[in-house]
Amino acid sequence: MKKIEKLIEHLSLIYYEYDGATNSFILDRNYSNEHIFEELIKITYILSKHNINFFVDEHKSLVLNSKNSLSLKIKRVIGSFIQNIKNKSLNIYVLNDKKVKWAKNLPIIKIESINTAFDISSYDALIFTSKSAVYSLNSHNQEWKSKPLYVIAPQTAKVASNLGGKIKFVSKEKHGDEFADELIPLLKNKKVLYIRGSKVVSNLVETLNENGVICDDVIVYQTVCVNFKKRIKLPKKSVIIFSSPSTIECFLKNATWDESYKAVSIGHTTKKYFPPYITPVVADTPSLDSCVKKAIELLSKK
């Protein structure tokens, strides 16, 4: 696994994610544009160059070091069918309306766009740390697509790219404060604009300005809690996925934490905002798909 990850490190993939457990590159099939084909070419070139066998399966993912025989294909289909039946019955909750395989939706937050007037033309680059910031800005401004974009994670990069943005850099660390450290050498002596929500959970702006980057910020959305008429009561032993500090706040406003629940945090920054009586497990990568995988792991250990 480490060998493969080292080989593809410089590719900055966003649509394909390497999964060491299955030794394959999993394609995010929620997106469809020319950049997916570009990434496929890059991956297959690297694999061929290093004599690593692979084939493209029925889900358009790349399976490594294996031959696509009929028996293996049947085995994969049966295995996938059994896994799907098993995982569908699990009580895994995502606290927004994003559809994620094997998870149930419990939207306890909503995003409200803020149409703030500002001039993008004077900036050398834009910084995004959330998909909501991309969607909100795009709803009332199209000029952002002309600027190079520096984003914190593949999920945000996918949204920006799909809307026509020019991705210049995707963070390898994928967490707020570490992201700022990565940006310093890339944006030294440049003037940049951080597009964000009303609440921030890192010192990105301060860190950049203290290290030779001229960084302004602008608020383009706010996250507000959905207030339920009755207290939320989930089944015992449910696994709840928290994708931001706001989801923690809003869930606990509407529900009482049961000691049988398990929490999965999308990242280390969000983990800091849990109350002492909740000990979350952090997902391997900051995506809801990764969170669901971690939730399944937790439930399989019971």
Side-chain angles (χ1 to χ4, degrees), residues 81-274:
F81 178 74
I82 294 172
Q83 184 186 45
N84 193 48
I85 292 177
K86 179 182 176 181
N87 291 343
K88 267 187 174 181
S89 65
L90 301 177
N91 290 314
I92 300 172
Y93 292 89
V94 173
L95 302 179
N96 56 39
D97 57 4
K98 171 74 185 296
K99 297 298 180 183
V100 187
K101 191 174 183 179
W102 299 318
K104 300 174 175 65
N105 292 99
L106 179 61
I108 49 85
I109 60 172
K110 57 183 178 180
I111 304 298
E112 296 181 349
S113 295
I114 300 173
N115 190 352
T116 307
F118 56 93
D119 182 14
I120 288 180
S121 63
S122 63
Y123 293 96
D124 299 308
L126 304 180
I127 298 172
F128 289 99
T129 57
S130 77
K131 295 180 291 184
S132 296
V134 179
Y135 283 129
S136 297
L137 179 60
N138 189 67
S139 67
H140 56 79
N141 185 305
Q142 298 297 305
E143 190 181 352
W144 67 274
K145 298 175 185 179
S146 66
K147 299 293 182 178
L149 309 179
Y150 292 73
V151 300
I152 197 169
Q155 294 302 317
T156 302
K158 290 173 195 173
V159 170
S161 177
N162 218 48
L163 290 172
K166 301 174 182 178
I167 307 300
K168 181 68 175 179
F169 175 76
V170 181
S171 172
K172 294 182 176 63
E173 297 297 336
K174 305 178 182 70
H175 301 293
D177 293 327
E178 293 91 340
F179 180 40
D181 293 333
E182 287 181 301
L183 292 177
I184 291 169
L186 301 174
L187 298 174
K188 198 88 167 180
N189 300 319
K190 292 183 181 294
K191 184 180 180 183
V192 301
L193 182 63
Y194 174 29
I195 313 294
R196 68 175 182 85
S198 58
K199 296 180 181 178
V200 293
V201 294
S202 71
N203 298 314
L204 187 145
V205 174
E206 293 84 352
T207 300
L208 292 181
N209 279 313
E210 290 171 359
N211 290 275
V213 181
I214 303 169
C215 182
D216 297 330
D217 60 342
V218 62
I219 296 171
V220 297
Y221 75 93
Q222 63 179 349
T223 304
V224 297
C225 295
V226 175
N227 294 314
F228 290 78
K229 293 181 179 179
K230 294 183 178 180
R231 299 289 287 177
I232 297 169
K233 191 171 183 180
L234 300 180
K236 294 278 188 178
K237 299 182 179 179
S238 293
V239 181
I240 305 158
I241 293 169
F242 296 89
S243 56
S244 67
S246 294
T247 56
I248 301 172
E249 174 190 350
C250 296
F251 180 82
L252 295 178
K253 276 186 177 180
N254 287 287
T256 301
W257 187 259
D258 188 277
E259 62 179 11
S260 71
Y261 295 161
K262 297 290 185 182
V264 174
S265 174
I266 200 168
H268 293 289
T269 301
T270 297
K271 180 182 178 181
K272 298 174 184 176
Y273 288 79
F274 282 88

